[in-house]
Amino acid sequence: MIGTEIHKFACSLWHLNRSITGDGVRQTLSIIKEVLPDLSIVEVPTGTSVFDWTIPKEWKVNDAYIVTPSGTKICSFKENNLHLVGYSIPIHKKLSLNELQDNLYSLSDQPTAIPYITSYYKARWGFCISQQQRDSLLEGEYEVFIDSELFDGSLTYGELFIKGKSQSEIFISTYVCHPSMANNELSGPAVTTFIAKWLLSKANNRFSYRFVFIPETIGSIAYLSRNKDYLKSKVIAGFNVTCIGDNRDYSYLPSRNSETISDAVSKHVLKHIYPTYKSYKWADRGSDERQYCSPGIDLPIASIMRTKYGKYDEYHTSLDNLISVVTPEGLDGGYNVLKRAIEVLEKNTYPKVNVFCEPQLGKRGLYPTLSTKSCKSEVRLMMDLITWSDGTKSMLDIAEICDVPVWELYPIAMKLAEHNLLTLYDYPVSS
Amino acid sequence: MIGTEIHKFACSLWHLNRSITGDGVRQTLSIIKEVLPDLSIVEVPTGTSVFDWTIPKEWKVNDAYIVTPSGTKICSFKENNLHLVGYSIPIHKKLSLNELQDNLYSLSDQPTAIPYITSYYKARWGFCISQQQRDSLLEGEYEVFIDSELFDGSLTYGELFIKGKSQSEIFISTYVCHPSMANNELSGPAVTTFIAKWLLSKANNRFSYRFVFIPETIGSIAYLSRNKDYLKSKVIAGFNVTCIGDNRDYSYLPSRNSETISDAVSKHVLKHIYPTYKSYKWADRGSDERQYCSPGIDLPIASIMRTKYGKYDEYHTSLDNLISVVTPEGLDGGYNVLKRAIEVLEKNTYPKVNVFCEPQLGKRGLYPTLSTKSCKSEVRLMMDLITWSDGTKSMLDIAEICDVPVWELYPIAMKLAEHNLLTLYDYPVSS
Amino acid sequence: MIGTEIHKFACSLWHLNRSITGDGVRQTLSIIKEVLPDLSIVEVPTGTSVFDWTIPKEWKVNDAYIVTPSGTKICSFKENNLHLVGYSIPIHKKLSLNELQDNLYSLSDQPTAIPYITSYYKARWGFCISQQQRDSLLEGEYEVFIDSELFDGSLTYGELFIKGKSQSEIFISTYVCHPSMANNELSGPAVTTFIAKWLLSKANNRFSYRFVFIPETIGSIAYLSRNKDYLKSKVIAGFNVTCIGDNRDYSYLPSRNSETISDAVSKHVLKHIYPTYKSYKWADRGSDERQYCSPGIDLPIASIMRTKYGKYDEYHTSLDNLISVVTPEGLDGGYNVLKRAIEVLEKNTYPKVNVFCEPQLGKRGLYPTLSTKSCKSEVRLMMDLITWSDGTKSMLDIAEICDVPVWELYPIAMKLAEHNLLTLYDYPVSS
C-alpha cells in the first residue's frame, strides 16, 4: 500500500516550521526534492508587488516560550511550533497573568487542543495554548520570550514540470505553509509528491504536468502574477490538493465555473469510487482555488479531498495529527482517487466508429453467433460504446451516458481499436 | 405610511363613471394630473382603426334607473354606477317583470353583490342588481329609464414621460376604465400615480420612465398601434399595474417570454419580501399584458400584483370596495414592492473586480487581520460578491447565486467601488 | 374496425418461411404487393459488401424433421417452421439421443414453447422443440433429416415510394424476416401495409413517404449502404414499425438523438392516447433503429410499439401467435396510433397571427359579446393558440405548451385561418 510510504514521508516533514516564508518552507521543499530531483526552488523577494498584494518580510524563529511564576517553561516553540502565533514579532518581557491573557489563544470547546493562529499582515505577538493548560495558570509574574526576526528575505516555492506528448498542461497545486498539522496540511504536499513521482515513472504521458508547492494565498497569488498568461494558454485541467489524508470521507469542491473537465472528472471518479462523497459548492471554497478560479484567471481547477477543511473537529488545531487523523489508509485513498482522476484525463479521448451501421462483431469473435432469447448482457456495453462513439462525445461523456465507470470502457475501446473499428481522437470530430 | 395617502387619493376617484371612453376617464385623468402636472391627455377619435380594432363611439350617461310597480326607484345609476351595464343604449319604456328579467344581471352565489357587466361592442341595455334585491321584485309593470348617449367622440388616455440619464425606458401601464371597484381597478392607477410622483422626486434616474393610464384592451391596443416601433426600440423593462391594493396576497404573472429582466426582478423581489407569493403562468393572463406581450409586440412587461383578478370573491362586483378589500396597508405593500422592483432595475449594474486574484481586504480594514478557526461570516458576502464580479453577471444574477436579496449587496458594492476594487458597468463586459 | 382486416391479412402471411433471405421473403412481399401494387422488389446478390457486412448465401428449406426410435416424425418443419434453427445446413444421419441433445433447443421455463433460434453467420444445424416434448424423448437411435440448401442467391426487400407535395420524406421501415410469430413479427409488416394503403388513398399528402419491408439488420444495413446519402438529404422523420399488434401496452423507443421531431410526435401522441405508455431509452434498443440511428447515419427514426420485443413472455417463441397475443384490437390500436403520429407530422405547421395585439374575435362571432365574471373556458384555447402563434413554434410545440392533444388545435387553427387571422407556415418564421 503506497499510503504507508506516503505516511512515512509526511512524518519526515512533520516537525518543520512551515509558514508563508522562511526556512521551514525551504527545508520542506528540500526533502520533497529528494524524491523529485528536478524540482525548481523559486525565491520571490520581500516587497515584490504581486497583483493587489506585496510579498511580506521573511519570518524566522530561533526560540519562543513562556516562563511561569514557578519557573516552568511552557508553550515552548521547540516543543510544538503551533504554540507560537504565526509571524509573531520578537518580545522579551515580564508581565502579569492578566496582561498575558490578552496574547493567549485557546479553544474553550476543545480544551486539549492548541489552536493554529497567524497574523501575517499585522504586527502582533501571541501564544497558542490548550484551554486546559490555560485554565491551570496561576497568578503571578510571567516571562514571555520570542526570539523571532522579520527581515527582507523572500517567499519560497517549488515548481516541477513533466513534459508530455502534448504541450497542454495539467496543473496541480498544493501548499507548504502549515506547521505541524496533518490533514491540513501535510497530506497535500505528501500525496502530491507521490503523484508526481508516479507520473515521472510513466513513459509517454499524453499531457504535460506542472506541479507547484507553494504557500497558500500569497504563494498562489505570487505564482499567478508571474505566470497568469502562460497558464491560461496551456492549462486544460488541474487540481488543488489539500485535506487528502484522513480516512473518513471523500469530498469535491468545484471550480468557480463548475463545469470544467476537472469538475466532470472529479465527480465521475468520486461517484464511482465513493458514491456518498460530499459535493460542496463554490460558496464553500477556502483554499487556493479562490485564486486559480478568480475572475480573469479562471483556470479549470477543482478540488478532490478526503474530509474538507473546516468540516472536521481537529481542523486547524494540534489535534490534526498523523496518528488519529491522517492515516496510511487515508493517504492511500486520497492518492488513488487523484491518480484515477489523472488517468481519466489522460484517456479522455473522443472515440469514433470507423464503419457505418453496427459492425459485424460476430465475424471477429466479439459477438455470439447463435441468436437466442437470452439477454446478451456481456456484449451490451461494447454495443453501447459503439453506438455513442460518434466522435462528438468523450470517453467520459459516454461513461456518464452508460452510467458505468469510464475505466470499464477502456479495455473495450482498446479491443475495438485493435480491430480497427474505432479511432480514438484527441479532440471532438464531427459525426 | 404612504398607503394612507394612496388610499385617500383612490377615494377621491371612486365615484367617477369610468368606462373605456367618456368623461369618467377624463375626470379621472384630470385628478391624476393634479399630482402629475406633466401628464399629457390624448384623445383618439371614434372610428380610428387600431390594429384589428376600431375605436368605438363615446358613451355618456345622464341618468338611469328602474321604477318598480309601487313607484320606488331602484338600480339608480346615480347611486351606484355599477347598476348600469357598461355601454347600455338609451331606453325608456314600461314592461312586465318577466320582460325585465331578460335584462337584469345578478349573481346567485353572491346574493348581496351587484355584478360588473359591460357590452362594449354589441348594442344592449341592462341593469345589474343584487340577487337579494332581484328576488324581492314583485309582479307588475316596471319602467326602465336609461338616458345614455353613444356618439362620435374619442377614447382618452394619459401619458407621462420622465427623462432619465439613459434613453432606455421602463414602461408602466395601468388602467382607468373600471367604475366603482377598488382592487380591480382603482388600486392600479392610484399606486401608479404615486410611483410616478416618487420617480419625479428623485434626481438623476438612470432610466427614463413612461407611464400610461389607459382603458384596458382597446386603450392599450390604441396606444400600441401608435407607438409600437418606438416602444420596441426603447423599452427594456416594465410592469402592468393592476390589483395592487388588497392586503391578502402577493402575485406575479410573467411576460409571454417569461424570462425577461422584468420577470427576473419581479420574482426576486417577491421571493425575498413575501416568499409564499403566488406565481402564475402566461396561461393565467387577463390584463393588458395580453397586448404588450402579443406576438410581434413582445415588450418585456410583467405583472406584480396583490391578489390577482379573478382570484378573489369580490372581483368584478360591488363588493370590491375601498373599505374591506383595498386598504391603506394593502396599497402600501403594493407600492413598496413595485418601488423596490424599480430600484432593483435602476441598480442592476454589472460589477467587475479591478484586480486579479482576491484583493487584500485586510490592508483596507475590510478583513480581520487575525486568522482563526472561527467562521468569518461577516465578510463572507463581500468575498462572494467579489468572486462573482466578473463583468458578465448583473447584481441580480449575483444575488440569485448567493441567495440573498440584491439590496443586501448594494452597500457592499458601494464600499468596494469606493476602494476602487470594483467597477459597476451598465452592460456586461467580458471577464 | 380496420384491425380485423389487418389481422386477416397477417393470417394470410403466417405460414411462410420468412428468414433474412429466400422465397419466404419473396412470397411475403408478393402478398403485400397485392395490396400495394407499386411495391418494388429489390434483390441484393450474395457476396455484396454492405458496409462492414456481406450479403450471405440464400437459404432454402425443402423439408426437415426428426424420426424417433419408435418411428414417429417430430419437429417437422412443414408443421411449424420454428422447429428448424434458422439457416440450418443440410444433414441426414442417425444418432443417439445423447448426441441429438447437442443440437436441440428448448426453454426450460416455458415448457410448451418452441423457441426461435437462428445461426445466420455460422454453419450449424439444429431443431427447436418444446421442453415438454424434449423431456418425453426416449433413449434410442434418432434420424435427423434437413433437406436445406445454402447457395449464391440474393437478399430480397420491398420498397414503396408515395410522392407528396414536398420532396421531404417520411421514412417507415418494418421487417419481413421472422417466421411464424405474430407480434414480432407479423404485426409490423401487416400494420405498415395498411398505413401505406391509407396514405395512397389520400390526395395531396404534404410529405412524400418511403416504405421499406426488409430483413432485420442485414436488410437495413444493405438498404442504407445503397441509400444513405439520399436518405440523409430527404428524410425529415420516420418510424421503425415492430411489435405493434398485441393489446396489452403502448411503448416508445427514442432515436439515438432522442430529440428529433419523430420523438416529439411519438411521445405527444402516446401521452394523449395512452398516458401510461412505456417510455424506453436508447439503451433498450434492439431493432433496426440500431442501424438507422447509428453514428454518421443519424436518421430521425423513432419506434412506436405496443408491447416491446423482449418485454413479453411469448417473445421469440411459438407462443407469440395471432390468437392469444396479436389480436384485431391490438392491431387496430397500433395502426391508429401510427396513423395519428403521421397526421401530426402532416399538420405540424408553424402558425403565425396576421394582426398585432389580440384580434377582435367578437366582431367575427368568435367571442362572447357580454363581459361577465364567468370563466370563458370555451374560447380560452383559441386565445392560447393565438398568443403562441408567433411563427417560431409549431402546432406541436403549442400543444405541448397548452398541454392539450394537438388535434384539438386543428379545428381552431382552421377557423382562425379562414378568418385570415392566422397563417400556417411550413417552416418557422421570425416573430
Side-chain angles (χ1 to χ4, degrees), chain C residues 306-355:
Chain C
R306 300 294 316 241
T307 308
K308 180 182 171 283
Y309 42 84
K311 296 292 175 181
Y312 58 100
D313 287 344
E314 303 89 346
Y315 170 70
H316 270 198
T317 76
S318 58
L319 303 181
D320 184 355
N321 62 39
L322 284 167
I323 299 158
S324 56
V325 174
V326 166
T327 61
E329 290 74 20
L331 291 161
D332 202 72
Y335 170 87
N336 279 305
V337 152
L338 196 55
K339 184 177 163 213
R340 180 70 87 178
I342 290 168
E343 283 172 337
V344 172
L345 285 167
E346 284 274 317
K347 297 190 177 177
N348 197 36
T349 52
Y350 291 76
K352 186 180 173 187
V353 286
N354 294 328
V355 297

Side-chain angles (χ1 to χ4, degrees), chain A residues 31-132:
Chain A
I31 292 173
I32 292 170
K33 199 172 160 75
E34 288 171 22
V35 183
L36 308 171
D38 289 337
L39 186 75
S40 309
I41 310 297
V42 182
E43 302 282 349
V44 187
T46 296
T48 306
S49 281
V50 291
F51 294 139
D52 192 47
W53 303 62
T54 305
I55 301 297
K57 289 188 184 298
E58 186 170 328
W59 184 53
K60 184 178 181 185
V61 182
N62 299 309
D63 203 357
Y65 52 79
I66 300 170
V67 183
T68 67
S70 63
T72 316
K73 196 189 275 189
I74 62 165
C75 292
S76 167
F77 171 80
K78 289 186 173 165
E79 192 186 288
N80 187 334
N81 46 30
L82 285 174
H83 276 309
L84 186 61
V85 166
Y87 264 64
S88 277
I89 56 175
I91 193 168
H92 188 185
K93 78 171 188 181
K94 297 191 173 173
L95 69 188
S96 70
L97 176 58
N98 223 25
E99 291 167 316
L100 176 62
Q101 291 288 14
D102 288 348
N103 293 68
L104 293 186
Y105 301 92
S106 59
L107 298 166
S108 56
D109 58 343
Q110 288 180 287
T112 65
I114 306 166
Y116 167 51
I117 308 284
T118 66
S119 180
Y120 300 137
Y121 301 103
K122 177 160 185 192
R124 270 201 185 85
W125 67 267
F127 285 90
C128 301
I129 183 171
S130 73
Q131 188 66 40
Q132 215 162 57

Side-chain angles (χ1 to χ4, degrees), chain B residues 12-45:
Chain B
S12 74
L13 295 167
W14 177 260
H15 63 290
L16 299 169
N17 184 40
R18 279 172 294 280
S19 181
I20 55 171
T21 61
D23 285 339
V25 179
R26 289 190 194 95
Q27 290 151 4
T28 299
L29 294 174
S30 161
I31 293 173
I32 292 171
K33 198 173 162 73
E34 289 170 20
V35 183
L36 308 172
D38 289 337
L39 186 75
S40 309
I41 310 296
V42 183
E43 302 282 349
V44 187

Side-chain angles (χ1 to χ4, degrees), chain A residues 399-420:
Chain A
E400 285 290 331
I401 294 172
C402 298
D403 199 22
V404 294
V406 65
W407 44 91
E408 287 189 13
L409 296 179
Y410 299 151
I412 305 174
M414 290 315 295
K415 198 185 285 182
L416 292 170
E418 280 161 22
H419 282 90
N420 202 27

